[in-house]
Amino acid sequence: MAEQTITAERESSLIEAVPKRLFINGEWVDAEGGATLEVLDPSTGRLLCTVADASEQDGWNALKAAEAAQPGLAAMAPRERANILMRAFELMHERKDDLALLMTLEMGKPLSDSYGEVTYAAEFFRHFAEEATRISGSYQTAPAGGARFLVAKQPVGPTILITPWNFPLAMGTRKLGPAIAAGCTSVLKPAELTPLSMLALADILHEAGLPAGAVNILVTSTAGKVMEPLIRSGIARKLSFTGSTGVGRKLLEQASERVLRTSMELGGNAGFVVFEDADVDAAVAGALLAKMRNTGEACTAANRIFVHRSVIDEFASKLAAEMDKLPLGRGVEDGVRVGPLVDAKQLDKVDALVTDAVEGGAKVLIGGTPVDRDGYFYPPTVLTDIPSGARMRQEEIFGPVAPLTPFDTEEEVISWINDTEYGLVNYVYTESLRRGIRVAEAVESGMVGLNQGAVSNPAAPFGGIKESGLGREGGDTGIEEFLETKYIGIAM
Ligand code: ADP
């Protein structure tokens, strides 16, 4: 990461340079009637800029462009699709200073986190560039002889992609990479709080040679109204969503009307378990990462930290000391490791969850009340003695709050971990390989970090079970979500 001093002039010239219109059919266009929405800087609460605010008609224009571009993209040589993704990967690296700063300005995360995300996001393009030329099928003799089975893969068709504000770039490239690799066109709707990163990415894809209409970017303040008719139309054959379980449920219902393929990356309520035989310092470092990355605004964030009673005092004091050391401030400032939350709603939610736990008897080791300054800041907070009825045992905190609860037995902690409708990821710290595998198998989640506090990797299958979602992104399964299997039975 290149830490640098960012001047107000650098911030405003960067914002100035971002295209602030809709990207439809390879062109930048205003929204119908010239409507715009405001993008704020969460570290000050002040206006950064306005961008075009799409109407239902703009939505239809984007979907029609994706539909028209579909046959061309499907017919394009896989190597050419791979080359476009590789060029986009390289351009993202060339422009990493701009992309990282833009993300920090619109979302608030510290620049160090933004640099990490640019690298992570670009990696999806490289990974899927490599996958694009490996799409293959099979040929088989029927078990009874006679016929042959030819099995081929084809793109599912136009797609609708909806992404959240917490990882404005990576959640986009994680969907666009496999869509382009598989030969699927798309309409992508970024979160209205953080549209700038995706608008900058549209410029990169265009420059990398993506044909007009293959990716269309639709920013709107009326997501439900604009997206629902598009989803229900059946023109797109696939819906991929990352966001809250509540919205995911609604979208699944809409997608069912025309039986769209769906991928859903929804909420999480990760457990983080530290056994008595764990390396406590490694567990503290892992918890710091799993809790504080992105200022806690991640569906993979450690939401419930369970520590064996024999080591909880040591763990709690070390974690509190580490969290207390993290400098808080505007994400653009040198050395800052804790940025603001994304908006006032998020700040109020975190504050309400902490207040609820404290009123129920939780003890505050550090933090515990919002920071008194402009912007939406909540300080690193460590709580112990979390009452079993506390809302934060069931709800995603999405902030820099670490709730610690002691446990006595393996059986007890596994049952607590699984006592949630979510099932995205859990983290397990133990020096015993046998116990590690046993617990990893017993916890109900799509992913497990065994002695590590971060699992995301573009080459690994990311996704949840239970109400955390459907399908996997990344890995060798990620592209399958954008491919149909066609079986051709051949008489011989
Ligand atoms: P969060 O609570 O983290 O903001 P959401 O699930 O509300 O998560 O938002 C994730 C994405 O889903 C955003 O792009 C948002 O605009 C979009 N979204 C929210 N409601 C709807 C809806 N009814 N239809 C389509 N997209 C929606």
Side-chain angles (χ1 to χ4, degrees):
M1 188 208 107
E3 207 133 17
Q4 51 187 306
T5 302
I6 308 291
T7 60
E9 206 180 336
R10 161 95 170 107
E11 290 179 24
S12 55
S13 64
L14 179 63
I15 294 290
E16 185 69 26
V18 181
K20 295 175 205 67
R21 302 203 282 175
L22 310 175
F23 187 66
I24 297 179
N25 206 23
E27 288 176 2
W28 292 105
V29 296
D30 287 326
E32 187 192 36
T36 57
L37 60 82
E38 295 186 339
V39 182
L40 304 182
D41 177 345
S43 70
T44 59
R46 287 201 288 271
L47 182 72
L48 274 179
C49 63
T50 61
V51 303
D53 184 3
S55 68
E56 285 173 72
Q57 184 54 49
D58 295 315
W60 284 114
N61 294 346
L63 187 59
K64 290 284 159 68
E67 184 183 26
Q70 179 56 48
L73 192 67
M76 183 185 277
R79 173 72 69 205
E80 182 50 24
R81 295 201 298 263
N83 287 344
I84 291 169
L85 287 171
M86 276 309 285
R87 279 197 291 272
F89 163 81
E90 284 156 8
L91 285 168
M92 286 180 77
H93 276 277
E94 275 171 30
R95 294 183 199 166
K96 65 177 192 302
D97 291 344
D98 287 357
L99 291 171
L101 178 55
L102 200 56
M103 217 179 338
T104 289
L105 289 174
E106 67 175 348
M107 190 274 170
K109 67 179 77 183
L111 260 186
S112 52
D113 278 349
S114 290
Y115 274 99
E117 182 172 347
V118 175
T119 304
Y120 174 54
E123 208 52 44
F124 282 105
F125 281 173
R126 177 156 69 172
H127 176 76
F128 286 107
E130 289 163 348
E131 291 291 300
T133 56
R134 309 273 183 266
I135 298 166
S136 64
S138 64
Y139 182 79
Q140 182 190 342
T141 302
R148 301 290 185 270
F149 302 161
L150 181 62
V151 179
K153 300 284 183 181
Q154 293 182 315
V156 295
T159 63
I160 293 175
L161 314 175
I162 300 178
T163 59
W165 48 261
N166 59 341
F167 293 99
L169 259 188
M171 299 302 99
T173 57
R174 181 147 90 175
K175 298 183 193 305
L176 290 171
I180 295 168
C184 299
T185 61
S186 53
V187 174
L188 186 146
K189 194 206 82 59
E192 56 275 32
L193 293 176
T194 58
L196 304 177
S197 301
M198 207 38 62
L199 293 171
L201 189 76
D203 241 358
I204 286 179
L205 284 168
H206 187 58
E207 230 177 290
L210 196 69
V215 168
N216 304 276
I217 308 286
L218 209 55
V219 179
T220 177
S221 61
T222 50
K225 210 166 96 204
V226 173
M227 301 313 284
E228 181 169 354
L230 307 187
I231 295 167
R232 289 193 188 274
S233 75
I235 293 173
R237 295 308 315 156
K238 155 105 197 163
L239 168 65
S240 178
F241 171 73
T242 300
S244 60
T245 296
V247 173
R249 231 189 289 279
K250 225 190 284 186
L251 296 178
L252 277 171
E253 185 271 316
Q254 294 170 14
S256 72
E257 182 163 334
R258 301 297 299 267
V259 196
L260 305 196
R261 290 270 300 267
T262 55
S263 300
M264 296 276 144
E265 296 290 355
L266 308 176
N269 185 7
F272 188 106
V273 194
V274 184
F275 282 100
E276 63 275 29
D277 62 358
D279 173 337
V280 173
D281 290 335
V284 168
L288 198 66
L289 183 62
K291 184 72 256 178
M292 295 307 296
R293 177 166 167 252
N294 227 36
T295 314
E297 293 176 308
C299 51
T300 52
N303 212 54
R304 299 168 298 156
I305 303 178
F306 301 114
V307 188
H308 192 267
R309 198 176 297 281
S310 62
V311 290
I312 193 166
D313 289 343
E314 180 191 354
F315 180 90
S317 62
K318 286 182 169 169
L319 182 66
E322 290 299 319
M323 282 175 61
D324 213 22
K325 266 193 248 166
L326 301 174
L328 175 144
R330 283 194 80 210
V332 297
E333 288 160 13
D334 274 0
V336 160
R337 292 291 177 270
V338 185
L341 299 178
V342 77
D343 64 5
K345 194 173 112 201
Q346 208 54 40
L347 178 63
D348 290 346
K349 184 182 160 206
V350 172
D351 191 29
L353 288 177
V354 172
T355 304
D356 165 75
V358 171
E359 282 173 357
K363 287 205 189 78
V364 181
L365 292 193
I366 56 165
T369 44
V371 181
D372 184 18
R373 59 177 277 174
D374 284 349
Y376 313 115
F377 288 89
Y378 201 88
T381 295
V382 178
L383 304 177
T384 60
D385 300 323
I386 309 300
S388 60
R391 283 174 54 198
M392 65 171 64
R393 285 284 283 261
Q394 294 298 334
E395 294 178 40
E396 258 187 313
I397 302 170
F398 246 61
V401 178
L404 310 187
T405 303
F407 71 91
D408 294 297
T409 67
E410 183 179 314
E411 201 182 11
E412 167 184 67
V413 79
I414 289 171
S415 77
W416 290 350
I417 284 191
N418 291 340
D419 180 26
T420 167
E421 71 264 30
Y422 294 111
L424 187 62
V425 61
N426 287 294
Y427 305 91
V428 180
Y429 275 77
T430 171
E431 289 296 287
S432 158
L433 181 60
R434 193 172 294 178
R435 170 182 265 162
I437 300 281
R438 190 168 63 227
V439 176
E441 287 184 0
V443 294
E444 294 166 354
S445 54
M447 303 176 288
V448 177
L450 190 48
N451 293 323
Q452 63 177 25
V455 292
S456 303
N457 189 307
F462 185 103
I465 63 170
K466 295 162 78 177
E467 293 176 37
S468 285
L470 297 168
R472 295 293 179 270
E473 295 189 298
D476 52 8
T477 45
I479 196 163
E480 291 295 327
E481 305 275 339
F482 291 85
L483 292 168
E484 288 290 5
T485 298
K486 179 173 281 174
Y487 151 56
I488 303 166
I490 308 166
M492 295 297 287

